[in-house]
Amino acid sequence: MLQSPWGARTDAPLAAFPFLTDAVLRQCVCRTFGDREPLVTAGAPVPDLMIVLRGRARIMATAANGKAALLQFVQPGDLLGELTLVGAEDAAKAVLAIGPVACLAIPQSVIEAQLATAPAFWQLLAQHIGVKLLRRMTHMASAQTQAFKYRLAELMLTVAVAGVYQENNVQIADYLGVSYRHLMYTLRQFREAGLIAKQPGGYRLDAPAMRAFLTAGDR
Amino acid sequence: MLQSPWGARTDAPLAAFPFLTDAVLRQCVCRTFGDREPLVTAGAPVPDLMIVLRGRARIMATAANGKAALLQFVQPGDLLGELTLVGAEDAAKAVLAIGPVACLAIPQSVIEAQLATAPAFWQLLAQHIGVKLLRRMTHMASAQTQAFKYRLAELMLTVAVAGVYQENNVQIADYLGVSYRHLMYTLRQFREAGLIAKQPGGYRLDAPAMRAFLTAGDR
DNA sequence: TGGCGGGTAGGAGATATCTCACAGAGGAGG
DNA sequence: CCTCCTCTGTGAGATATCTCCTACCCGCCA
């Protein structure tokens, strides 16, 4: 049924959404995005509910002063537009792809016509948001305890594309709640420990070494 | 309609829940709890959905080793049992009153018979959980930035009963993600700054001074 | 060409926070 | 009464992290 640009089936994350009957699925669209391409544009009305099938993305908030702040990372199985759909959020935030991304888009019209009247649909949405809340809670709670170096290592592994990290360090420092200076300091530690190596425009990671670092002295 | 033990109307938080028609309200119960009384018992099936009308409470998680961890504080307008109801959470966590608390309890039977089939009910639940998620996100994000002393001051103000703070400091240190030693150190700073004063079994707060402290050098 | 502005990099010196160690107070049980 | 245990409080000495400051590179634009 659904084919990804990688040639593999991408409907595994769909198992969590039983309201996606074949009848509904036939009216959905599979969208794909390239690196740094916007999945959602800030402020613009969210056209439909999207389920991330493959790839990762970052959710950005643009402040009044024009500054862009990194809010959150998105993974396969995550929903986009749920909070707006449900009325918990007024203005959608921008979502940018990190590497290639594939999404299943459920058009607004289909939701209104075939899903909005089904209690099970809303119930599942509520459950999904609730699970997300609990997951985020434990994640942030652990982030509060974890030393910065572990949070940074984890983040670099999740946002690197093809083993290369090339984020805006100012934003990353902000996202991780740490001063830019300290981010630089820690990056140097990583370099000196051989976990990463500088290269024009970013850092190349030694992914196995970083994973070992995370599972070693961690929690 | 609803009278609180304080003699004032307590239905203000109910405005956010339009599915509470008079017909449903008539089948609900108004429950009140005293200081440190359990609103929800850990593990026990949650009998019904509760809406907090007045007072505060703390959500506790009891770990396998018997240790109790402070997870979250509950305020008027918050729901109890939503995550279990929606299926996002398997085992309910214990909830203990902080001072006198009043709740509106919607019996499980009423939910099943009159609400479960209404999409609007689930939609509102989803919205409520979504709002909670967003609020928690911004809260935790700010917590990451805020210096410990501000987080502590804020917490002391919210958990104090009649201007007196008498929590278990081991748990508080854990909840705020700080070493017990540092909590003690900061409490002494507060004492020396005249924000709090020791008294048997806890600390008496100078609430106005603390609020001034929060709004002064803050963020 | 020259000058911004933003991002990167790092030095020096404060603070915030942690770990370990110790001591006293009060409750529970033998 | 003694002992064990938990909570409270504190000292001393490490680390983690912050703030301020300087320098350099680079793309953009007048």
Short mmCIF file of all heavy atoms in Angstrom, two decimals, chain A residues 52-86:
data_model
loop_
_atom_site.label_atom_id
_atom_site.label_comp_id
_atom_site.label_asym_id
_atom_site.label_seq_id
_atom_site.Cartn_x
_atom_site.Cartn_y
_atom_site.Cartn_z
N VAL A 52 3.91 11.07 11.31
CA VAL A 52 5.27 10.91 10.80
C VAL A 52 5.57 9.43 10.65
O VAL A 52 5.44 8.67 11.61
CB VAL A 52 6.29 11.57 11.74
CG1 VAL A 52 7.69 11.35 11.21
CG2 VAL A 52 6.00 13.05 11.88
N LEU A 53 5.96 9.04 9.44
CA LEU A 53 6.26 7.64 9.18
C LEU A 53 7.76 7.37 9.27
O LEU A 53 8.18 6.36 9.83
CB LEU A 53 5.75 7.25 7.79
CG LEU A 53 4.24 7.44 7.55
CD1 LEU A 53 3.89 7.15 6.11
CD2 LEU A 53 3.45 6.55 8.49
N ARG A 54 8.53 8.25 8.69
CA ARG A 54 9.97 8.03 8.62
C ARG A 54 10.70 9.36 8.77
O ARG A 54 10.22 10.37 8.26
CB ARG A 54 10.35 7.48 7.23
CG ARG A 54 10.12 6.00 7.08
CD ARG A 54 11.35 5.25 7.54
NE ARG A 54 11.20 3.85 7.17
CZ ARG A 54 12.13 3.16 6.51
NH1 ARG A 54 13.25 3.75 6.17
NH2 ARG A 54 11.93 1.90 6.22
N GLY A 55 11.84 9.33 9.39
CA GLY A 55 12.66 10.52 9.48
C GLY A 55 12.43 11.30 10.76
O GLY A 55 11.67 10.89 11.64
N ARG A 56 13.10 12.43 10.88
CA ARG A 56 12.97 13.27 12.05
C ARG A 56 12.76 14.71 11.63
O ARG A 56 13.02 15.08 10.49
CB ARG A 56 14.25 13.19 12.90
CG ARG A 56 14.40 11.87 13.63
CD ARG A 56 15.87 11.59 13.82
NE ARG A 56 16.52 11.44 12.53
CZ ARG A 56 17.79 11.78 12.30
NH1 ARG A 56 18.53 12.26 13.27
NH2 ARG A 56 18.32 11.60 11.11
N ALA A 57 12.28 15.51 12.57
CA ALA A 57 12.05 16.92 12.26
C ALA A 57 12.20 17.71 13.55
O ALA A 57 12.24 17.13 14.64
CB ALA A 57 10.66 17.12 11.68
N ARG A 58 12.33 19.01 13.42
CA ARG A 58 12.42 19.85 14.61
C ARG A 58 11.28 20.86 14.60
O ARG A 58 10.92 21.39 13.54
CB ARG A 58 13.77 20.54 14.68
CG ARG A 58 13.98 21.61 13.66
CD ARG A 58 15.41 22.12 13.64
NE ARG A 58 16.00 21.88 12.32
CZ ARG A 58 17.19 21.34 12.13
NH1 ARG A 58 17.94 21.00 13.15
NH2 ARG A 58 17.63 21.13 10.93
N ILE A 59 10.72 21.10 15.76
CA ILE A 59 9.66 22.07 15.91
C ILE A 59 10.29 23.37 16.40
O ILE A 59 11.02 23.37 17.39
CB ILE A 59 8.59 21.60 16.92
CG1 ILE A 59 8.01 20.27 16.44
CG2 ILE A 59 7.50 22.64 17.06
CD1 ILE A 59 6.90 19.75 17.31
N MET A 60 10.03 24.45 15.69
CA MET A 60 10.65 25.73 16.02
C MET A 60 9.56 26.72 16.45
O MET A 60 8.45 26.70 15.93
CB MET A 60 11.35 26.32 14.80
CG MET A 60 12.26 25.37 14.05
SD MET A 60 13.74 24.98 14.99
CE MET A 60 14.46 26.60 15.14
N ALA A 61 9.91 27.60 17.36
CA ALA A 61 9.01 28.69 17.72
C ALA A 61 9.70 29.99 17.32
O ALA A 61 10.87 30.19 17.65
CB ALA A 61 8.74 28.69 19.21
N THR A 62 9.00 30.80 16.60
CA THR A 62 9.57 32.07 16.22
C THR A 62 9.03 33.14 17.16
O THR A 62 7.84 33.40 17.21
CB THR A 62 9.21 32.43 14.77
OG1 THR A 62 9.52 31.31 13.94
CG2 THR A 62 10.00 33.63 14.31
N ALA A 63 9.93 33.74 17.92
CA ALA A 63 9.52 34.75 18.90
C ALA A 63 9.17 36.05 18.19
O ALA A 63 9.42 36.22 17.00
CB ALA A 63 10.63 34.97 19.92
N ALA A 64 8.58 36.95 18.97
CA ALA A 64 8.15 38.23 18.40
C ALA A 64 9.34 38.99 17.80
O ALA A 64 9.20 39.67 16.79
CB ALA A 64 7.50 39.09 19.49
N ASN A 65 10.50 38.84 18.41
CA ASN A 65 11.68 39.57 17.93
C ASN A 65 12.34 38.91 16.71
O ASN A 65 13.42 39.29 16.30
CB ASN A 65 12.70 39.69 19.06
CG ASN A 65 13.11 38.34 19.60
OD1 ASN A 65 12.91 37.32 18.94
ND2 ASN A 65 13.68 38.32 20.78
N GLY A 66 11.68 37.87 16.18
CA GLY A 66 12.23 37.23 14.99
C GLY A 66 13.19 36.09 15.28
O GLY A 66 13.55 35.34 14.39
N LYS A 67 13.57 35.95 16.55
CA LYS A 67 14.49 34.88 16.91
C LYS A 67 13.80 33.53 16.80
O LYS A 67 12.64 33.39 17.19
CB LYS A 67 14.98 35.06 18.35
CG LYS A 67 15.83 36.29 18.57
CD LYS A 67 17.28 36.03 18.22
CE LYS A 67 18.14 37.24 18.56
NZ LYS A 67 19.51 37.10 18.06
N ALA A 68 14.51 32.55 16.32
CA ALA A 68 13.94 31.21 16.22
C ALA A 68 14.45 30.36 17.39
O ALA A 68 15.65 30.32 17.65
CB ALA A 68 14.32 30.57 14.90
N ALA A 69 13.54 29.72 18.08
CA ALA A 69 13.93 28.87 19.20
C ALA A 69 13.56 27.43 18.90
O ALA A 69 12.49 27.15 18.37
CB ALA A 69 13.26 29.33 20.48
N LEU A 70 14.47 26.55 19.24
CA LEU A 70 14.26 25.12 19.02
C LEU A 70 13.41 24.58 20.17
O LEU A 70 13.76 24.73 21.33
CB LEU A 70 15.62 24.45 19.00
CG LEU A 70 15.69 22.97 18.72
CD1 LEU A 70 14.84 22.63 17.52
CD2 LEU A 70 17.14 22.60 18.46
N LEU A 71 12.27 23.98 19.83
CA LEU A 71 11.35 23.55 20.88
C LEU A 71 11.39 22.06 21.15
O LEU A 71 11.29 21.62 22.27
CB LEU A 71 9.91 23.91 20.50
CG LEU A 71 9.45 25.31 20.77
CD1 LEU A 71 7.96 25.41 20.55
CD2 LEU A 71 9.81 25.70 22.19
N GLN A 72 11.47 21.29 20.07
CA GLN A 72 11.24 19.87 20.25
C GLN A 72 11.65 19.10 19.00
O GLN A 72 11.61 19.65 17.90
CB GLN A 72 9.74 19.68 20.48
CG GLN A 72 9.33 18.31 20.90
CD GLN A 72 7.83 18.15 20.73
OE1 GLN A 72 7.35 17.14 20.30
NE2 GLN A 72 7.09 19.21 21.03
N PHE A 73 11.97 17.83 19.18
CA PHE A 73 12.27 16.97 18.04
C PHE A 73 11.12 15.99 17.83
O PHE A 73 10.49 15.56 18.78
CB PHE A 73 13.58 16.24 18.25
CG PHE A 73 14.76 17.15 18.19
CD1 PHE A 73 15.36 17.62 19.35
CD2 PHE A 73 15.26 17.59 16.98
CE1 PHE A 73 16.43 18.48 19.30
CE2 PHE A 73 16.33 18.46 16.92
CZ PHE A 73 16.92 18.90 18.07
N VAL A 74 10.89 15.68 16.58
CA VAL A 74 9.77 14.83 16.20
C VAL A 74 10.31 13.51 15.67
O VAL A 74 11.31 13.49 14.96
CB VAL A 74 8.95 15.53 15.10
CG1 VAL A 74 7.87 14.62 14.57
CG2 VAL A 74 8.38 16.82 15.62
N GLN A 75 9.63 12.42 16.02
CA GLN A 75 10.07 11.10 15.60
C GLN A 75 8.96 10.35 14.88
O GLN A 75 7.81 10.76 14.93
CB GLN A 75 10.46 10.29 16.84
CG GLN A 75 11.61 10.89 17.61
CD GLN A 75 11.97 10.04 18.79
OE1 GLN A 75 11.16 9.24 19.25
NE2 GLN A 75 13.18 10.21 19.29
N PRO A 76 9.31 9.24 14.23
CA PRO A 76 8.27 8.44 13.58
C PRO A 76 7.20 8.03 14.60
O PRO A 76 7.52 7.71 15.74
CB PRO A 76 9.04 7.21 13.07
CG PRO A 76 10.43 7.70 12.88
CD PRO A 76 10.65 8.72 13.95
N GLY A 77 5.95 8.05 14.17
CA GLY A 77 4.85 7.72 15.06
C GLY A 77 4.26 8.96 15.71
O GLY A 77 3.16 8.90 16.25
N ASP A 78 4.99 10.07 15.66
CA ASP A 78 4.46 11.30 16.25
C ASP A 78 3.41 11.91 15.33
O ASP A 78 3.40 11.69 14.13
CB ASP A 78 5.59 12.32 16.45
CG ASP A 78 6.37 12.04 17.72
OD1 ASP A 78 5.97 11.13 18.47
OD2 ASP A 78 7.37 12.73 17.96
N LEU A 79 2.53 12.68 15.93
CA LEU A 79 1.51 13.39 15.17
C LEU A 79 1.92 14.84 15.02
O LEU A 79 2.59 15.40 15.88
CB LEU A 79 0.17 13.32 15.91
CG LEU A 79 -0.47 11.95 16.04
CD1 LEU A 79 -1.76 12.04 16.83
CD2 LEU A 79 -0.73 11.37 14.67
N LEU A 80 1.50 15.43 13.93
CA LEU A 80 1.68 16.86 13.75
C LEU A 80 0.32 17.47 13.52
O LEU A 80 -0.47 16.96 12.74
CB LEU A 80 2.57 17.15 12.53
CG LEU A 80 4.01 16.66 12.62
CD1 LEU A 80 4.76 16.99 11.34
CD2 LEU A 80 4.70 17.27 13.82
N GLY A 81 0.03 18.53 14.25
CA GLY A 81 -1.25 19.19 14.06
C GLY A 81 -2.32 18.71 15.02
O GLY A 81 -3.44 19.22 15.02
N GLU A 82 -1.98 17.74 15.90
CA GLU A 82 -3.00 17.23 16.82
C GLU A 82 -3.45 18.30 17.79
O GLU A 82 -4.64 18.45 18.06
CB GLU A 82 -2.53 16.05 17.63
CG GLU A 82 -1.16 15.54 17.37
CD GLU A 82 -0.15 16.10 18.34
OE1 GLU A 82 0.00 15.57 19.43
OE2 GLU A 82 0.51 17.10 17.96
N LEU A 83 -2.48 19.05 18.30
CA LEU A 83 -2.82 20.03 19.33
C LEU A 83 -3.68 21.15 18.74
O LEU A 83 -4.57 21.67 19.41
CB LEU A 83 -1.55 20.59 19.98
CG LEU A 83 -0.77 19.54 20.76
CD1 LEU A 83 0.49 20.13 21.36
CD2 LEU A 83 -1.65 18.94 21.87
N THR A 84 -3.42 21.50 17.51
CA THR A 84 -4.24 22.51 16.87
C THR A 84 -5.63 21.94 16.61
O THR A 84 -6.65 22.57 16.88
CB THR A 84 -3.61 22.95 15.55
OG1 THR A 84 -2.24 23.25 15.77
CG2 THR A 84 -4.30 24.18 15.01
N LEU A 85 -5.65 20.72 16.10
CA LEU A 85 -6.92 20.08 15.77
C LEU A 85 -7.83 20.00 16.99
O LEU A 85 -9.03 20.21 16.92
CB LEU A 85 -6.63 18.66 15.25
CG LEU A 85 -7.84 17.79 14.98
CD1 LEU A 85 -8.69 18.42 13.89
CD2 LEU A 85 -7.43 16.38 14.59
N VAL A 86 -7.22 19.71 18.11
CA VAL A 86 -7.95 19.47 19.33
C VAL A 86 -8.28 20.79 20.04
O VAL A 86 -9.09 20.83 20.96
CB VAL A 86 -7.06 18.53 20.19
CG1 VAL A 86 -6.74 19.14 21.51
CG2 VAL A 86 -7.71 17.18 20.31
#
